[in-house]
Short mmCIF file of all heavy atoms in Angstrom, two decimals:
data_model
loop_
_atom_site.label_atom_id
_atom_site.label_comp_id
_atom_site.label_asym_id
_atom_site.label_seq_id
_atom_site.Cartn_x
_atom_site.Cartn_y
_atom_site.Cartn_z
N MET P 490 -11.96 -12.69 3.27
CA MET P 490 -11.12 -11.81 2.48
C MET P 490 -10.02 -12.64 1.83
O MET P 490 -9.35 -13.43 2.48
CB MET P 490 -10.52 -10.73 3.39
CG MET P 490 -9.71 -9.70 2.65
SD MET P 490 -9.04 -8.42 3.73
CE MET P 490 -10.37 -7.25 3.73
N LYS P 491 -9.84 -12.46 0.54
CA LYS P 491 -8.83 -13.21 -0.20
C LYS P 491 -7.43 -12.74 0.20
O LYS P 491 -7.23 -11.61 0.64
CB LYS P 491 -9.01 -13.01 -1.70
CG LYS P 491 -10.28 -13.63 -2.25
CD LYS P 491 -10.31 -13.57 -3.74
CE LYS P 491 -10.85 -12.23 -4.17
NZ LYS P 491 -10.98 -12.07 -5.60
N ILE P 492 -6.47 -13.62 -0.01
CA ILE P 492 -5.08 -13.31 0.36
C ILE P 492 -4.56 -12.11 -0.42
O ILE P 492 -3.83 -11.29 0.14
CB ILE P 492 -4.18 -14.56 0.18
CG1 ILE P 492 -2.79 -14.32 0.76
CG2 ILE P 492 -4.06 -14.94 -1.28
CD1 ILE P 492 -2.75 -14.25 2.24
N ILE P 493 -4.94 -11.97 -1.68
CA ILE P 493 -4.47 -10.82 -2.46
C ILE P 493 -5.03 -9.52 -1.89
O ILE P 493 -4.36 -8.48 -1.89
CB ILE P 493 -4.78 -10.97 -3.97
CG1 ILE P 493 -4.01 -9.93 -4.77
CG2 ILE P 493 -6.26 -10.89 -4.23
CD1 ILE P 493 -3.92 -10.23 -6.23
N ASP P 494 -6.25 -9.58 -1.36
CA ASP P 494 -6.83 -8.39 -0.73
C ASP P 494 -6.03 -8.01 0.51
O ASP P 494 -5.77 -6.83 0.76
CB ASP P 494 -8.29 -8.65 -0.33
CG ASP P 494 -9.19 -8.88 -1.53
OD1 ASP P 494 -8.82 -8.48 -2.64
OD2 ASP P 494 -10.27 -9.45 -1.33
N ARG P 495 -5.65 -8.99 1.29
CA ARG P 495 -4.87 -8.72 2.51
C ARG P 495 -3.50 -8.15 2.18
O ARG P 495 -3.03 -7.22 2.82
CB ARG P 495 -4.72 -9.98 3.34
CG ARG P 495 -6.00 -10.37 4.03
CD ARG P 495 -5.80 -11.62 4.86
NE ARG P 495 -7.07 -12.07 5.38
CZ ARG P 495 -7.44 -11.92 6.64
NH1 ARG P 495 -6.64 -11.34 7.49
NH2 ARG P 495 -8.62 -12.35 7.03
N ILE P 496 -2.84 -8.72 1.17
CA ILE P 496 -1.52 -8.22 0.76
C ILE P 496 -1.65 -6.78 0.28
O ILE P 496 -0.84 -5.91 0.64
CB ILE P 496 -0.92 -9.12 -0.33
CG1 ILE P 496 -0.56 -10.49 0.26
CG2 ILE P 496 0.30 -8.47 -0.97
CD1 ILE P 496 -0.20 -11.54 -0.77
N ALA P 497 -2.67 -6.51 -0.53
CA ALA P 497 -2.88 -5.15 -1.03
C ALA P 497 -3.13 -4.19 0.13
O ALA P 497 -2.59 -3.08 0.16
CB ALA P 497 -4.06 -5.12 -2.01
N LEU P 498 -3.93 -4.62 1.09
CA LEU P 498 -4.23 -3.77 2.24
C LEU P 498 -2.97 -3.48 3.06
O LEU P 498 -2.75 -2.35 3.49
CB LEU P 498 -5.28 -4.45 3.11
CG LEU P 498 -6.30 -3.57 3.81
CD1 LEU P 498 -6.97 -2.62 2.85
CD2 LEU P 498 -7.32 -4.43 4.52
N ILE P 499 -2.13 -4.48 3.24
CA ILE P 499 -0.87 -4.29 3.97
C ILE P 499 0.02 -3.29 3.24
O ILE P 499 0.60 -2.39 3.86
CB ILE P 499 -0.16 -5.64 4.17
CG1 ILE P 499 -0.92 -6.49 5.19
CG2 ILE P 499 1.29 -5.44 4.61
CD1 ILE P 499 -0.49 -7.94 5.23
N LEU P 500 0.12 -3.43 1.92
CA LEU P 500 0.95 -2.50 1.14
C LEU P 500 0.40 -1.07 1.20
O LEU P 500 1.16 -0.11 1.29
CB LEU P 500 1.07 -2.97 -0.30
CG LEU P 500 1.97 -4.18 -0.52
CD1 LEU P 500 1.84 -4.68 -1.95
CD2 LEU P 500 3.42 -3.85 -0.20
N VAL P 501 -0.92 -0.94 1.16
CA VAL P 501 -1.53 0.39 1.25
C VAL P 501 -1.25 1.01 2.63
O VAL P 501 -0.97 2.20 2.74
CB VAL P 501 -3.04 0.32 0.94
CG1 VAL P 501 -3.74 1.60 1.31
CG2 VAL P 501 -3.25 0.01 -0.54
N ILE P 502 -1.31 0.19 3.67
CA ILE P 502 -1.02 0.69 5.02
C ILE P 502 0.44 1.13 5.11
O ILE P 502 0.75 2.19 5.67
CB ILE P 502 -1.36 -0.38 6.08
CG1 ILE P 502 -2.87 -0.55 6.16
CG2 ILE P 502 -0.77 -0.02 7.44
CD1 ILE P 502 -3.32 -1.77 6.95
N ILE P 503 1.35 0.35 4.54
CA ILE P 503 2.77 0.74 4.52
C ILE P 503 2.93 2.07 3.79
O ILE P 503 3.64 2.96 4.25
CB ILE P 503 3.62 -0.36 3.85
CG1 ILE P 503 3.70 -1.57 4.78
CG2 ILE P 503 5.02 0.16 3.51
CD1 ILE P 503 4.30 -2.80 4.13
N GLY P 504 2.24 2.20 2.66
CA GLY P 504 2.32 3.47 1.90
C GLY P 504 1.76 4.64 2.70
O GLY P 504 2.33 5.73 2.71
N ALA P 505 0.66 4.40 3.40
CA ALA P 505 0.06 5.47 4.20
C ALA P 505 0.98 5.89 5.34
O ALA P 505 1.14 7.08 5.62
CB ALA P 505 -1.29 5.01 4.75
N LEU P 506 1.59 4.92 5.99
CA LEU P 506 2.53 5.24 7.07
C LEU P 506 3.75 5.99 6.54
O LEU P 506 4.25 6.92 7.18
CB LEU P 506 2.96 3.97 7.80
CG LEU P 506 1.87 3.27 8.61
CD1 LEU P 506 2.38 1.93 9.13
CD2 LEU P 506 1.39 4.15 9.74
N ASN P 507 4.21 5.60 5.35
CA ASN P 507 5.34 6.30 4.75
C ASN P 507 4.97 7.74 4.42
O ASN P 507 5.74 8.67 4.69
CB ASN P 507 5.83 5.56 3.50
CG ASN P 507 7.14 6.11 3.00
OD1 ASN P 507 8.12 6.13 3.74
ND2 ASN P 507 7.17 6.54 1.76
N TRP P 508 3.79 7.94 3.82
CA TRP P 508 3.34 9.31 3.51
C TRP P 508 3.15 10.13 4.78
O TRP P 508 3.46 11.33 4.82
CB TRP P 508 2.05 9.30 2.69
CG TRP P 508 2.32 9.19 1.24
CD1 TRP P 508 2.09 8.11 0.44
CD2 TRP P 508 2.89 10.18 0.39
NE1 TRP P 508 2.49 8.38 -0.84
CE2 TRP P 508 2.99 9.65 -0.90
CE3 TRP P 508 3.35 11.48 0.61
CZ2 TRP P 508 3.51 10.36 -1.97
CZ3 TRP P 508 3.87 12.19 -0.47
CH2 TRP P 508 3.94 11.63 -1.73
N GLY P 509 2.63 9.50 5.82
CA GLY P 509 2.49 10.19 7.10
C GLY P 509 3.85 10.62 7.64
O GLY P 509 4.01 11.73 8.16
N SER P 510 4.83 9.75 7.51
CA SER P 510 6.19 10.07 7.94
C SER P 510 6.77 11.23 7.13
O SER P 510 7.43 12.12 7.68
CB SER P 510 7.06 8.81 7.77
OG SER P 510 8.41 9.10 7.96
N VAL P 511 6.51 11.23 5.83
CA VAL P 511 6.99 12.33 4.98
C VAL P 511 6.30 13.63 5.37
O VAL P 511 6.94 14.68 5.53
CB VAL P 511 6.75 12.02 3.48
CG1 VAL P 511 7.02 13.25 2.62
CG2 VAL P 511 7.63 10.85 3.04
N GLY P 512 4.99 13.57 5.57
CA GLY P 512 4.23 14.78 5.89
C GLY P 512 4.55 15.36 7.25
O GLY P 512 4.67 16.57 7.42
N LEU P 513 4.69 14.49 8.25
CA LEU P 513 4.91 14.97 9.61
C LEU P 513 6.37 15.28 9.92
O LEU P 513 6.67 16.22 10.66
CB LEU P 513 4.39 13.94 10.63
CG LEU P 513 2.88 13.73 10.64
CD1 LEU P 513 2.53 12.55 11.54
CD2 LEU P 513 2.18 14.98 11.11
N PHE P 514 7.27 14.46 9.37
CA PHE P 514 8.67 14.59 9.77
C PHE P 514 9.63 14.85 8.61
O PHE P 514 10.83 15.02 8.83
CB PHE P 514 9.12 13.30 10.48
CG PHE P 514 8.21 12.89 11.59
CD1 PHE P 514 7.46 11.73 11.50
CD2 PHE P 514 8.08 13.66 12.73
CE1 PHE P 514 6.61 11.34 12.51
CE2 PHE P 514 7.23 13.29 13.76
CZ PHE P 514 6.49 12.12 13.65
N GLY P 515 9.12 14.86 7.38
CA GLY P 515 9.99 15.06 6.23
C GLY P 515 10.94 13.89 6.02
O GLY P 515 12.03 14.05 5.48
N PHE P 516 10.53 12.70 6.46
CA PHE P 516 11.40 11.52 6.40
C PHE P 516 10.73 10.43 5.58
O PHE P 516 9.65 9.95 5.92
CB PHE P 516 11.67 11.00 7.82
CG PHE P 516 12.57 9.80 7.88
CD1 PHE P 516 13.91 9.92 7.59
CD2 PHE P 516 12.05 8.55 8.19
CE1 PHE P 516 14.74 8.81 7.64
CE2 PHE P 516 12.87 7.44 8.23
CZ PHE P 516 14.22 7.57 7.96
N ASP P 517 11.36 10.02 4.49
CA ASP P 517 10.85 8.97 3.62
C ASP P 517 11.48 7.64 4.03
O ASP P 517 12.64 7.37 3.73
CB ASP P 517 11.18 9.31 2.17
CG ASP P 517 10.56 8.36 1.17
OD1 ASP P 517 10.15 7.26 1.56
OD2 ASP P 517 10.49 8.74 -0.02
N CYS P 518 10.71 6.82 4.73
CA CYS P 518 11.22 5.54 5.26
C CYS P 518 11.66 4.61 4.14
O CYS P 518 12.70 3.96 4.26
CB CYS P 518 10.14 4.85 6.09
SG CYS P 518 9.61 5.76 7.51
N VAL P 519 10.89 4.51 3.08
CA VAL P 519 11.22 3.61 1.98
C VAL P 519 12.54 4.02 1.35
O VAL P 519 13.43 3.19 1.14
CB VAL P 519 10.09 3.57 0.93
CG1 VAL P 519 10.51 2.78 -0.30
CG2 VAL P 519 8.83 2.97 1.52
N ALA P 520 12.71 5.30 1.07
CA ALA P 520 13.95 5.79 0.48
C ALA P 520 15.13 5.55 1.43
O ALA P 520 16.22 5.15 1.01
CB ALA P 520 13.84 7.27 0.15
N PHE P 521 14.92 5.77 2.71
CA PHE P 521 15.98 5.56 3.69
C PHE P 521 16.41 4.10 3.74
O PHE P 521 17.60 3.79 3.76
CB PHE P 521 15.50 6.02 5.08
CG PHE P 521 16.49 5.76 6.17
CD1 PHE P 521 17.60 6.56 6.33
CD2 PHE P 521 16.29 4.70 7.04
CE1 PHE P 521 18.52 6.31 7.34
CE2 PHE P 521 17.20 4.44 8.06
CZ PHE P 521 18.32 5.24 8.21
N LEU P 522 15.43 3.21 3.75
CA LEU P 522 15.74 1.78 3.90
C LEU P 522 16.29 1.14 2.63
O LEU P 522 17.06 0.18 2.69
CB LEU P 522 14.49 1.01 4.33
CG LEU P 522 13.98 1.31 5.74
CD1 LEU P 522 12.64 0.62 5.98
CD2 LEU P 522 15.00 0.88 6.78
N PHE P 523 15.91 1.67 1.46
CA PHE P 523 16.24 0.99 0.22
C PHE P 523 17.11 1.81 -0.74
O PHE P 523 17.13 1.55 -1.92
CB PHE P 523 14.96 0.53 -0.47
CG PHE P 523 14.19 -0.45 0.37
CD1 PHE P 523 13.04 -0.05 1.03
CD2 PHE P 523 14.64 -1.74 0.53
CE1 PHE P 523 12.34 -0.94 1.82
CE2 PHE P 523 13.94 -2.64 1.32
CZ PHE P 523 12.79 -2.24 1.97
N GLY P 524 17.80 2.82 -0.23
CA GLY P 524 18.83 3.47 -1.04
C GLY P 524 18.41 4.69 -1.83
O GLY P 524 18.99 4.96 -2.87
N GLY P 525 17.45 5.45 -1.36
CA GLY P 525 17.05 6.68 -2.05
C GLY P 525 15.82 6.48 -2.90
O GLY P 525 15.46 5.36 -3.27
N GLN P 526 15.18 7.61 -3.22
CA GLN P 526 13.92 7.56 -3.96
C GLN P 526 14.07 7.00 -5.36
O GLN P 526 13.13 6.41 -5.89
CB GLN P 526 13.31 8.95 -4.05
CG GLN P 526 12.72 9.44 -2.76
CD GLN P 526 12.04 10.78 -2.93
OE1 GLN P 526 12.34 11.53 -3.84
NE2 GLN P 526 11.13 11.08 -2.03
N MET P 527 15.20 7.17 -5.97
CA MET P 527 15.36 6.74 -7.36
C MET P 527 16.04 5.38 -7.48
O MET P 527 16.29 4.92 -8.60
CB MET P 527 16.13 7.80 -8.15
CG MET P 527 15.37 9.12 -8.29
SD MET P 527 13.68 8.93 -8.90
CE MET P 527 13.99 8.41 -10.56
N SER P 528 16.35 4.72 -6.37
CA SER P 528 16.94 3.39 -6.47
C SER P 528 15.91 2.43 -7.04
O SER P 528 14.69 2.62 -6.90
CB SER P 528 17.43 2.89 -5.11
OG SER P 528 16.35 2.47 -4.31
N THR P 529 16.38 1.41 -7.70
CA THR P 529 15.48 0.46 -8.34
C THR P 529 14.55 -0.20 -7.33
O THR P 529 13.34 -0.31 -7.57
CB THR P 529 16.30 -0.61 -9.09
OG1 THR P 529 17.14 0.04 -10.04
CG2 THR P 529 15.39 -1.60 -9.80
N LEU P 530 15.08 -0.61 -6.20
CA LEU P 530 14.26 -1.28 -5.20
C LEU P 530 13.18 -0.35 -4.64
O LEU P 530 12.02 -0.76 -4.47
CB LEU P 530 15.14 -1.83 -4.07
CG LEU P 530 14.48 -2.78 -3.09
CD1 LEU P 530 13.77 -3.93 -3.81
CD2 LEU P 530 15.50 -3.33 -2.13
N SER P 531 13.53 0.90 -4.36
CA SER P 531 12.54 1.86 -3.88
C SER P 531 11.44 2.08 -4.90
O SER P 531 10.26 2.12 -4.56
CB SER P 531 13.20 3.21 -3.55
OG SER P 531 14.02 3.10 -2.43
N ARG P 532 11.82 2.19 -6.16
CA ARG P 532 10.83 2.41 -7.21
C ARG P 532 9.91 1.21 -7.36
O ARG P 532 8.71 1.36 -7.62
CB ARG P 532 11.53 2.75 -8.53
CG ARG P 532 12.22 4.12 -8.43
CD ARG P 532 12.89 4.51 -9.69
NE ARG P 532 11.87 4.71 -10.71
CZ ARG P 532 12.15 4.87 -11.98
NH1 ARG P 532 13.39 4.86 -12.39
NH2 ARG P 532 11.18 5.05 -12.85
N ILE P 533 10.44 0.01 -7.17
CA ILE P 533 9.60 -1.19 -7.21
C ILE P 533 8.61 -1.16 -6.06
O ILE P 533 7.41 -1.44 -6.25
CB ILE P 533 10.48 -2.47 -7.16
CG1 ILE P 533 11.24 -2.63 -8.47
CG2 ILE P 533 9.63 -3.70 -6.86
CD1 ILE P 533 12.32 -3.70 -8.44
N ILE P 534 9.07 -0.79 -4.87
CA ILE P 534 8.17 -0.74 -3.72
C ILE P 534 7.10 0.34 -3.92
O ILE P 534 5.92 0.09 -3.67
CB ILE P 534 8.96 -0.50 -2.42
CG1 ILE P 534 9.80 -1.73 -2.12
CG2 ILE P 534 8.04 -0.17 -1.25
CD1 ILE P 534 10.81 -1.56 -1.03
N TYR P 535 7.49 1.51 -4.40
CA TYR P 535 6.51 2.57 -4.67
C TYR P 535 5.48 2.08 -5.69
O TYR P 535 4.28 2.35 -5.56
CB TYR P 535 7.19 3.83 -5.20
CG TYR P 535 8.08 4.54 -4.22
CD1 TYR P 535 9.31 5.06 -4.63
CD2 TYR P 535 7.71 4.74 -2.90
CE1 TYR P 535 10.14 5.73 -3.75
CE2 TYR P 535 8.53 5.40 -2.01
CZ TYR P 535 9.75 5.89 -2.44
OH TYR P 535 10.56 6.55 -1.57
N SER P 536 5.93 1.37 -6.71
CA SER P 536 5.02 0.86 -7.74
C SER P 536 4.07 -0.18 -7.17
O SER P 536 2.87 -0.17 -7.47
CB SER P 536 5.81 0.24 -8.89
OG SER P 536 6.61 1.22 -9.51
N LEU P 537 4.58 -1.09 -6.33
CA LEU P 537 3.73 -2.09 -5.72
C LEU P 537 2.67 -1.46 -4.81
O LEU P 537 1.52 -1.88 -4.80
CB LEU P 537 4.57 -3.09 -4.92
CG LEU P 537 5.41 -4.07 -5.74
CD1 LEU P 537 6.31 -4.89 -4.82
CD2 LEU P 537 4.52 -4.96 -6.59
N VAL P 538 3.07 -0.43 -4.08
CA VAL P 538 2.11 0.27 -3.21
C VAL P 538 1.04 0.95 -4.06
O VAL P 538 -0.14 0.91 -3.73
CB VAL P 538 2.84 1.28 -2.29
CG1 VAL P 538 1.86 2.20 -1.59
CG2 VAL P 538 3.69 0.55 -1.26
N GLY P 539 1.45 1.56 -5.18
CA GLY P 539 0.48 2.19 -6.07
C GLY P 539 -0.49 1.19 -6.68
O GLY P 539 -1.70 1.44 -6.73
N ILE P 540 0.01 0.05 -7.12
CA ILE P 540 -0.85 -1.00 -7.67
C ILE P 540 -1.80 -1.52 -6.59
O ILE P 540 -2.99 -1.76 -6.84
CB ILE P 540 0.00 -2.13 -8.27
CG1 ILE P 540 0.73 -1.62 -9.52
CG2 ILE P 540 -0.85 -3.36 -8.59
CD1 ILE P 540 1.83 -2.54 -10.00
N ALA P 541 -1.28 -1.68 -5.37
CA ALA P 541 -2.12 -2.12 -4.25
C ALA P 541 -3.24 -1.12 -3.98
O ALA P 541 -4.37 -1.51 -3.68
CB ALA P 541 -1.27 -2.33 -3.00
N GLY P 542 -2.92 0.17 -4.09
CA GLY P 542 -3.94 1.19 -3.90
C GLY P 542 -5.05 1.07 -4.94
O GLY P 542 -6.24 1.18 -4.62
N LEU P 543 -4.66 0.81 -6.19
CA LEU P 543 -5.66 0.62 -7.23
C LEU P 543 -6.50 -0.62 -6.95
O LEU P 543 -7.72 -0.61 -7.13
CB LEU P 543 -4.98 0.50 -8.60
CG LEU P 543 -4.32 1.77 -9.12
CD1 LEU P 543 -3.54 1.46 -10.39
CD2 LEU P 543 -5.35 2.85 -9.37
N TRP P 544 -5.86 -1.68 -6.50
CA TRP P 544 -6.59 -2.91 -6.16
C TRP P 544 -7.59 -2.66 -5.05
O TRP P 544 -8.72 -3.16 -5.07
CB TRP P 544 -5.61 -4.01 -5.77
CG TRP P 544 -6.31 -5.30 -5.47
CD1 TRP P 544 -6.74 -5.73 -4.25
CD2 TRP P 544 -6.69 -6.30 -6.41
NE1 TRP P 544 -7.35 -6.95 -4.37
CE2 TRP P 544 -7.34 -7.31 -5.69
CE3 TRP P 544 -6.55 -6.44 -7.78
CZ2 TRP P 544 -7.84 -8.46 -6.30
CZ3 TRP P 544 -7.04 -7.57 -8.38
CH2 TRP P 544 -7.68 -8.56 -7.66
N CYS P 545 -7.18 -1.87 -4.05
CA CYS P 545 -8.05 -1.62 -2.89
C CYS P 545 -9.29 -0.80 -3.27
O CYS P 545 -10.29 -0.85 -2.56
CB CYS P 545 -7.27 -0.95 -1.77
SG CYS P 545 -6.21 -2.12 -0.89
N ILE P 546 -9.23 -0.08 -4.37
CA ILE P 546 -10.42 0.63 -4.84
C ILE P 546 -11.54 -0.38 -5.11
O ILE P 546 -12.70 -0.12 -4.82
CB ILE P 546 -10.12 1.46 -6.10
CG1 ILE P 546 -9.20 2.63 -5.75
CG2 ILE P 546 -11.40 1.97 -6.74
CD1 ILE P 546 -8.67 3.39 -6.96
N THR P 547 -11.16 -1.56 -5.60
CA THR P 547 -12.18 -2.57 -5.90
C THR P 547 -12.87 -3.06 -4.62
O THR P 547 -14.01 -3.52 -4.68
CB THR P 547 -11.58 -3.79 -6.63
OG1 THR P 547 -10.68 -4.50 -5.76
CG2 THR P 547 -10.85 -3.37 -7.89
N LEU P 548 -12.20 -2.97 -3.48
CA LEU P 548 -12.81 -3.40 -2.22
C LEU P 548 -14.04 -2.55 -1.89
O LEU P 548 -14.97 -3.03 -1.24
CB LEU P 548 -11.81 -3.31 -1.08
CG LEU P 548 -10.57 -4.21 -1.18
CD1 LEU P 548 -9.63 -3.94 -0.01
CD2 LEU P 548 -10.95 -5.66 -1.25
N LEU P 549 -14.05 -1.31 -2.33
CA LEU P 549 -15.17 -0.42 -2.04
C LEU P 549 -16.46 -0.83 -2.76
O LEU P 549 -17.55 -0.52 -2.29
CB LEU P 549 -14.82 1.02 -2.45
CG LEU P 549 -13.72 1.70 -1.66
CD1 LEU P 549 -13.37 3.03 -2.32
CD2 LEU P 549 -14.14 1.89 -0.23
N PHE P 550 -16.31 -1.50 -3.88
CA PHE P 550 -17.46 -1.79 -4.73
C PHE P 550 -17.88 -3.25 -4.74
O PHE P 550 -18.75 -3.63 -5.49
CB PHE P 550 -17.16 -1.33 -6.17
CG PHE P 550 -16.88 0.14 -6.22
CD1 PHE P 550 -15.57 0.59 -6.36
CD2 PHE P 550 -17.89 1.07 -6.11
CE1 PHE P 550 -15.29 1.95 -6.40
CE2 PHE P 550 -17.62 2.44 -6.15
CZ PHE P 550 -16.32 2.87 -6.30
N ARG P 551 -17.27 -4.04 -3.89
CA ARG P 551 -17.64 -5.46 -3.83
C ARG P 551 -18.85 -5.66 -2.95
O ARG P 551 -19.02 -4.99 -1.93
CB ARG P 551 -16.49 -6.28 -3.28
CG ARG P 551 -15.36 -6.39 -4.24
CD ARG P 551 -14.42 -7.45 -3.77
NE ARG P 551 -13.15 -7.26 -4.45
CZ ARG P 551 -12.01 -7.75 -4.02
NH1 ARG P 551 -11.97 -8.44 -2.91
NH2 ARG P 551 -10.92 -7.55 -4.69
N ASP P 552 -19.68 -6.62 -3.33
CA ASP P 552 -20.81 -7.01 -2.48
C ASP P 552 -20.28 -7.88 -1.35
O ASP P 552 -19.62 -8.88 -1.61
CB ASP P 552 -21.85 -7.79 -3.29
CG ASP P 552 -22.59 -6.90 -4.26
OD1 ASP P 552 -22.69 -5.69 -3.99
OD2 ASP P 552 -23.05 -7.42 -5.29
N GLN P 553 -20.58 -7.48 -0.15
CA GLN P 553 -20.18 -8.26 1.01
C GLN P 553 -21.38 -9.02 1.54
O GLN P 553 -22.48 -8.50 1.57
CB GLN P 553 -19.65 -7.32 2.11
CG GLN P 553 -18.40 -6.56 1.70
CD GLN P 553 -17.20 -7.46 1.46
OE1 GLN P 553 -17.03 -8.45 2.15
NE2 GLN P 553 -16.41 -7.14 0.46
N PRO P 554 -21.15 -10.26 1.99
CA PRO P 554 -22.27 -10.99 2.58
C PRO P 554 -22.70 -10.31 3.87
O PRO P 554 -21.88 -9.79 4.62
CB PRO P 554 -21.70 -12.38 2.86
CG PRO P 554 -20.23 -12.26 2.72
CD PRO P 554 -19.94 -11.03 1.94
N HIS P 555 -24.01 -10.28 4.10
CA HIS P 555 -24.54 -9.63 5.29
C HIS P 555 -24.60 -10.62 6.44
O HIS P 555 -24.99 -11.76 6.26
CB HIS P 555 -25.93 -9.07 5.01
CG HIS P 555 -25.94 -8.01 3.96
ND1 HIS P 555 -25.50 -6.73 4.21
CD2 HIS P 555 -26.29 -8.04 2.65
CE1 HIS P 555 -25.61 -6.02 3.10
NE2 HIS P 555 -26.07 -6.79 2.13
N ASP P 556 -24.23 -10.17 7.60
CA ASP P 556 -24.32 -11.01 8.80
C ASP P 556 -25.61 -10.68 9.54
O ASP P 556 -25.64 -9.85 10.42
CB ASP P 556 -23.11 -10.76 9.73
CG ASP P 556 -21.80 -11.21 9.11
OD1 ASP P 556 -21.84 -12.19 8.34
OD2 ASP P 556 -20.76 -10.61 9.40
N ASP P 557 -26.68 -11.32 9.11
CA ASP P 557 -27.99 -11.06 9.74
C ASP P 557 -28.30 -12.10 10.78
O ASP P 557 -27.99 -13.20 10.76
CB ASP P 557 -29.11 -11.06 8.69
CG ASP P 557 -28.97 -9.85 7.78
OD1 ASP P 557 -28.40 -8.84 8.22
OD2 ASP P 557 -29.43 -9.95 6.63
#
C-alpha cells in the first residue's frame, strides 16, 4: 500500500470517528480542537478528510495482487 493510500485511510478514519462522535454525542471533535466549525483550520481539516474520502474510492477499484 502506498504512503498516500495510508494517509488517506487515516484521514478517513479520523473523519468517521468525528462523525460518530457527532451522531452519538452531538460533539464535533474537530471543531472543539481547532476553534469551531467555521475556523480556517477546521475547514482545512474537513476539506482534507473529504479529499481523502474521494481518494479512498479509488482503493475499491484497484487490482490487488492475489496471494495464491
Side-chain angles (χ1 to χ4, degrees):
M490 184 179 272
K491 292 188 275 183
I492 189 70
I493 193 163
D494 295 340
R495 287 181 187 255
I496 292 169
L498 215 52
I499 289 167
L500 287 171
V501 168
I502 290 167
I503 289 169
L506 292 173
N507 191 57
W508 273 109
S510 170
V511 170
L513 293 172
F514 309 113
F516 181 71
D517 187 341
C518 299
V519 172
F521 176 76
L522 293 173
F523 298 105
Q526 287 184 337
M527 295 309 292
S528 76
T529 302
L530 191 52
S531 291
R532 292 182 65 190
I533 290 169
I534 292 170
Y535 294 138
S536 298
L537 288 173
V538 169
I540 292 167
L543 292 173
W544 182 267
C545 284
I546 291 171
T547 67
L548 297 176
L549 294 172
F550 301 104
R551 289 193 198 160
D552 289 333
Q553 297 295 324
H555 297 284
D556 293 329
D557 291 334

